[in-house]
Amino acid sequence: MTQPDPAAAGGATPRHVAVIMDGNGRWARLRHWNRVRGHREGIESVRAVVRAARRAGVQVLTLYAFSSENWGRPTYEVRALMGLLRRFLRTEAPSLKEQGVRVRAIGALEQLPAEARAALAWAESETRECRDLQLVLALSYGGREEILSALRGLLRDGTDPGRLDEETFRRYLYAPDLPDPDLLIRTSGEMRVSNFLLWQIAYAEIYVTDVLWPDFREAEFERALESYARRERRFGLTTEQLKEEP
Ligand code: IPE
Ligand code: IPE
Ligand code: MG
């Protein structure tokens, strides 16, 4: 059962913000440019949002950078995205380290090209000791695949179905130590979750903006946090119950 988390029950800064960074292609298309230019510009938004999240005291920022389904895009685009990822990790790790940002990744990482995996391992090890913000990159990530991979682990370990509860299941997810997202942001106006963190977003507050990802910078992120601060999270309880002293 999902228990109410008083620390996250309104007015507060979300501990974990998850973002579906969408709209790079449309941003480029509006300018009659190649989609890849949109992805490149989107990296500037990643930098901005990391800074803003850290400043706001967010503890975990999960960015949906590449979905399981995105492998089906044209080869040139997939290659360009993998190249941008590698370059981002190589060039950004020192600055992330300086800012106290720890880099992690979730997803079917074994499917990434070797160079991208190597860059990821390097950035992870460089920033291992950082404590201010965890930047979790969802790469080759699919929520259904994550649930299946947890199930495979549970079966492999011979888990007794009668004893299987939510806490046990959670331990088999990609990053069991992370709290569930409090706030899920999607840019570019699409009202769907596109296979992102299906288990973890059970009680996330959802914020959708029409702003395209390359235009989503500090001010837009702060706007999302302000919207979150005005929400009343009820976790299935009544407003009266939530006002009662514990
Ligand atoms: C999001 O932008 C980035 C990835 C999915 C990798 P899109 O590339 O999906 O941009 P649109 O949705 O086509 O505008
Ligand atoms: C979701 O965006 C995946 C990422 C942001 C990485 P998509 O553009 O792939 O999602 P759909 O196809 O619009 O649902
Ligand atoms: Mg898209």
Side-chain angles (χ1 to χ4, degrees), residues 1-6 9 203 232-246:
M1 200 178 73
T2 307
Q3 295 296 336
D5 176 0
Y203 263 100
E232 182 189 57
R233 303 186 74 185
R234 286 198 287 272
F235 300 97
L237 305 183
T238 67
T239 305
E240 290 68 30
Q241 281 177 300
L242 289 167
K243 281 187 189 130
E244 280 165 20
E245 292 298 322

Side-chain angles (χ1 to χ4, degrees), residues 20-22 64-67 70 73 186 190 192 194:
I20 303 176
M21 309 184 287
D22 198 16
Y64 203 5
F66 194 86
S67 74
N70 290 151
R73 292 195 179 192
R186 182 162 188 152
E190 243 61 75
R192 54 179 175 255
S194 302

Side-chain angles (χ1 to χ4, degrees), residues 110-130:
E110 69 286 352
Q111 290 181 21
L112 298 174
E115 310 81 58
R117 278 203 314 268
L120 193 55
W122 178 74
E124 282 175 328
S125 82
E126 278 294 292
T127 60
R128 181 156 297 148
E129 307 298 329
C130 296

Side-chain angles (χ1 to χ4, degrees), residues 1 8 13 31 39 48 54 69 76 85 99 107-108 118 121 144 151 154 156 168 179 183 201 216 229 231:
M1 200 178 73
T13 302
R31 292 159 177 80
H39 297 316
R54 195 182 152 275
E69 291 74 24
Y76 87 90
L85 168 68
Q99 297 177 72
R144 286 184 171 175
L151 203 49
L154 285 156
R156 217 177 289 127
T168 311
L183 173 63
I201 60 172
F216 190 91
R231 311 277 179 96

Side-chain angles (χ1 to χ4, degrees), residues 49-218:
V49 166
V50 167
R51 272 195 305 270
R54 195 182 152 275
R55 203 169 44 230
V58 170
Q59 292 166 27
V60 185
L61 176 69
T62 300
L63 301 180
Y64 203 5
F66 194 86
S67 74
S68 317
E69 291 74 24
N70 290 151
W71 288 115
R73 292 195 179 192
T75 314
Y76 87 90
E77 186 175 347
V78 172
R79 279 214 192 117
L81 282 165
M82 292 300 143
L84 287 171
L85 168 68
R86 200 183 60 228
R87 221 162 311 137
F88 171 78
L89 292 165
R90 291 257 176 238
T91 58
E92 221 56 29
S95 139
L96 291 169
K97 186 176 178 178
E98 220 170 87
Q99 297 177 72
V101 180
R102 179 181 168 196
V103 178
R104 298 176 62 175
I106 54 171
L109 305 177
E110 69 286 352
Q111 290 181 21
L112 298 174
E115 310 81 58
R117 278 203 314 268
L120 193 55
W122 178 74
E124 282 175 328
S125 82
E126 278 294 292
T127 60
R128 181 156 297 148
E129 307 298 329
C130 296
R131 293 282 173 271
D132 289 351
L133 171 70
Q134 298 199 58
L135 171 63
V136 183
L137 302 175
L139 296 165
S140 189
Y141 177 88
R144 286 184 171 175
E145 179 51 38
E146 178 175 25
I147 289 169
L148 271 182
S149 100
L151 203 49
R152 283 188 208 107
L154 285 156
L155 291 172
R156 217 177 289 127
D157 289 350
T159 312
D160 173 1
R163 285 169 170 273
L164 178 57
D165 57 13
E166 290 184 11
E167 273 324 298
T168 311
F169 189 85
R170 174 187 297 278
R171 286 205 288 276
Y172 286 81
L173 295 172
Y174 290 137
D177 58 306
L178 299 179
D180 285 344
D182 301 296
L183 173 63
L184 172 69
I185 299 174
R186 182 162 188 152
T187 58
S188 90
E190 243 61 75
M191 302 278 186
R192 54 179 175 255
V193 294
S194 302
N195 205 11
F196 192 37
L197 302 174
L198 298 181
W199 174 275
Q200 297 88 336
I201 60 172
Y203 263 100
E205 293 294 322
I206 300 173
Y207 178 88
V208 177
T209 171
D210 286 335
V211 174
L212 305 173
W213 178 250
D215 291 327
F216 190 91
R217 299 285 162 96
E218 278 102 331

